[in-house]
């Protein structure tokens, strides 16, 4: 089995790092290295990491001044020696067979460049229902086709659950810094480049949902940052698929229209809106008409981007468009 490099950036995680490292040490795959990128912690994390490394030669600690997660990831990737690189966060727990199962999957599927897995939600479900439901959704998006079709809905992969071929970094570039979630940007960029992605249909990671996780505290992981990033890649994909057709947005509510409007900043022209509310039929927003689903133009002349984020909306939109002969990935894409 090829060497697996596990890249673990850490900042002020003295309370959780030992358990995260122990979960790697319990792996059934023995041929791994763990790169702990210590990002200038001030809570004793560095001392804990160095102590763990003294007891296990497979652990390397890479201290650096605090520069944030992207700088830490870039440092870890540059130091990785393995054929495969696995991600890990300091507050999560990898199940014992994770590395072996994912490495075996990549060995058996040459067409797949990145493999993830199902994840167990490690937070208080009742208190954080939204994030728990996101995890539930993630665990339904498993095949390469499903990951591609759902990539504009939300990030289809739990970041600390992935393992990928190190060669992808040289071929398509690694983590980029900017006002966007670095993992989602990487997935969108690699998927656009044709990288195959899949999930092992097993729970191999417990994904913790702590109060201080970056997705809760950093604006780069907020909804608007996601939509701005999404618009960049979605516009290019829609342009590729349009083939002279008009672009219609499903959803005529103000939040939907504001988010869809970002597409125009990337050269797209929106022809109109679709909504199930009969009170909106015939209304014009910025000169664009709103129609009800029965009045959607034929797929030969219309391409639809579904932007409604309300729970259950995607299923409704997909069902109605498919009933009209639209094919997802050719005639429409879901974007919320």
């Amino acid at each position: 089995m090829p060497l697996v490099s596990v890249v673990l950036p850490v900042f002020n995680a003295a309370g959780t790092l030992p358990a995260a490292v122990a979960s790697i040490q319990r792996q059934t795959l023995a041929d791994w290295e763990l790169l702990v990128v210590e990002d200038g912690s001030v809570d004793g994390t560095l001392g804990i990491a160095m102590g763990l490394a003294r007891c296990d030669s497979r652990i390397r600690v890479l201290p650096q001044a605090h520069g944030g997660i992207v700088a830490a990831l870039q440092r870890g990737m540059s130091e990785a020696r393995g054929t495969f690189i696995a991600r890990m966060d300091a507050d999560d727990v990898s199940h014992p067979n994770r590395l072996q199962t994912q490495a075996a999957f990549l060995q058996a599927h040459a067409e797949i460049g990145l493999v993830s897995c199902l994840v167990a939600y490690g937070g208080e479900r009742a208190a954080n229902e939204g994030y728990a439901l996101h995890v539930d959704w993630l665990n339904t998006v498993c095949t390469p086709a499903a990951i591609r079709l759902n990539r504009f809905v939300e990030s289809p992969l739990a970041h600390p659950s992935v393992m990928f071929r190190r060669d992808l970094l040289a071929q398509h570039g690694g983590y980029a810094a900017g006002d966007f979630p670095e993992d989602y940007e990487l997935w969108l960029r690699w998927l656009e480049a044709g990288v195959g992605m899949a999930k092992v249909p097993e729970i191999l990671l417990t994904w913790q949902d702590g109060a201080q996780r970056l997705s809760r505290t950093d604006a780069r992981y907020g909804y608007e940052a996601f939509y701005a990033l999404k618009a960049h890649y979605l516009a290019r994909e829609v342009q590729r698929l349009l083939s002279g057709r008009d672009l219609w947005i499903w959803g005529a509510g103000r939040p939907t229209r504001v988010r869809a409007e970002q597409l125009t900043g990337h050269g797209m022209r929106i022809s109109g809106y679709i909504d199930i509310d009969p009170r909106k039929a015939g209304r014009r927003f910025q000169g664009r008409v709103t129609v009800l689903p029965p009045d959607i133009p034929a797929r030969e002349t219309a391409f639809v981007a579904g932007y409604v984020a309300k729970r259950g909306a995607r299923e409704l939109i997909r069902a109605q468009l498919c009933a009209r002969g639209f094919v997802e990935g050719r005639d429409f894409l879901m974007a919320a």
Side-chain angles (χ1 to χ4, degrees), residues 77-288:
M77 299 297 155
S78 69
E79 297 276 355
R81 298 178 297 205
T83 301
F84 303 145
I85 295 178
R87 274 284 290 111
M88 182 68 182
D89 282 339
D91 56 349
D92 298 322
V93 174
S94 287
H95 296 197
N97 60 330
R98 177 196 166 187
L99 298 185
Q100 184 169 10
T101 301
Q102 291 183 310
F105 187 95
L106 288 176
Q107 280 194 301
H109 298 86
E111 76 283 5
I112 299 299
L114 178 151
V115 64
S116 178
C117 60
L118 306 188
V119 297
Y121 178 66
E124 293 291 334
R125 179 172 283 268
N128 301 301
E129 183 183 18
Y131 221 96
L133 289 172
H134 171 65
V135 171
D136 294 342
W137 175 79
L138 277 180
N139 286 341
T140 68
V141 183
C142 296
T143 66
I147 291 170
R148 287 194 64 81
L149 288 177
N150 285 279
R151 70 192 187 277
F152 298 117
V153 174
E154 296 184 61
S155 178
L157 309 167
H159 194 184
S161 74
V162 304
M163 178 186 290
F164 54 82
R165 302 180 192 276
R166 188 181 64 176
D167 291 349
L168 293 177
L169 297 170
Q171 293 170 6
H172 306 298
Y175 292 93
D179 295 328
F180 48 75
E182 77 290 333
D183 54 338
Y184 193 25
E185 193 279 335
L186 190 66
W187 314 151
L188 290 175
R189 177 158 35 95
W190 283 5
L191 284 165
E192 183 180 71
V195 175
M197 299 185 184
K199 290 180 185 175
V200 175
E202 300 177 38
I203 294 177
L204 300 177
L205 180 90
T206 297
W207 199 21
Q208 305 292 359
D209 185 19
Q212 297 305 310
R213 64 182 302 164
L214 286 176
S215 58
R216 293 189 181 279
T217 61
D218 193 319
R220 293 180 302 124
Y221 302 90
Y223 284 118
E224 297 314 312
F226 267 88
Y227 274 96
L229 172 64
K230 188 185 301 185
H232 173 73
Y233 286 97
L234 176 60
R236 299 206 303 210
E237 182 68 0
V238 170
Q239 185 61 51
R240 185 181 72 83
L241 295 170
L242 271 182
S243 300
R245 294 178 289 181
D246 294 329
L247 172 61
W248 287 76
I249 302 298
W250 194 307
R254 187 177 184 281
T256 296
R257 287 185 283 110
V258 169
R259 287 168 173 168
E261 190 66 27
Q262 294 178 349
L263 294 173
T264 65
H266 297 280
M268 304 305 300
R269 177 182 175 275
I270 298 172
S271 295
Y273 302 99
I274 305 159
D275 205 283
I276 63 172
D277 186 351
R279 294 171 299 179
K280 295 176 183 175
R283 289 187 184 179
R284 289 185 174 271
F285 301 100
Q286 295 182 303
R288 303 164 188 149

Side-chain angles (χ1 to χ4, degrees), residues 2-8 21 24-25 27 29-36 56-62 75-88 99 163 166:
L3 175 68
V4 174
S5 296
V6 182
V7 175
L8 192 163
V21 171
I24 299 301
Q25 292 176 308
Q27 292 295 304
L29 175 72
D31 197 10
W32 53 262
E33 63 169 0
L34 175 61
L35 307 178
V36 180
D56 192 329
S57 62
R58 296 172 297 180
I59 301 173
R60 285 197 284 152
V61 180
L62 308 175
R75 172 80 183 282
M77 299 297 155
S78 69
E79 297 276 355
R81 298 178 297 205
T83 301
F84 303 145
I85 295 178
R87 274 284 290 111
M88 182 68 182
L99 298 185
M163 178 186 290
R166 188 181 64 176

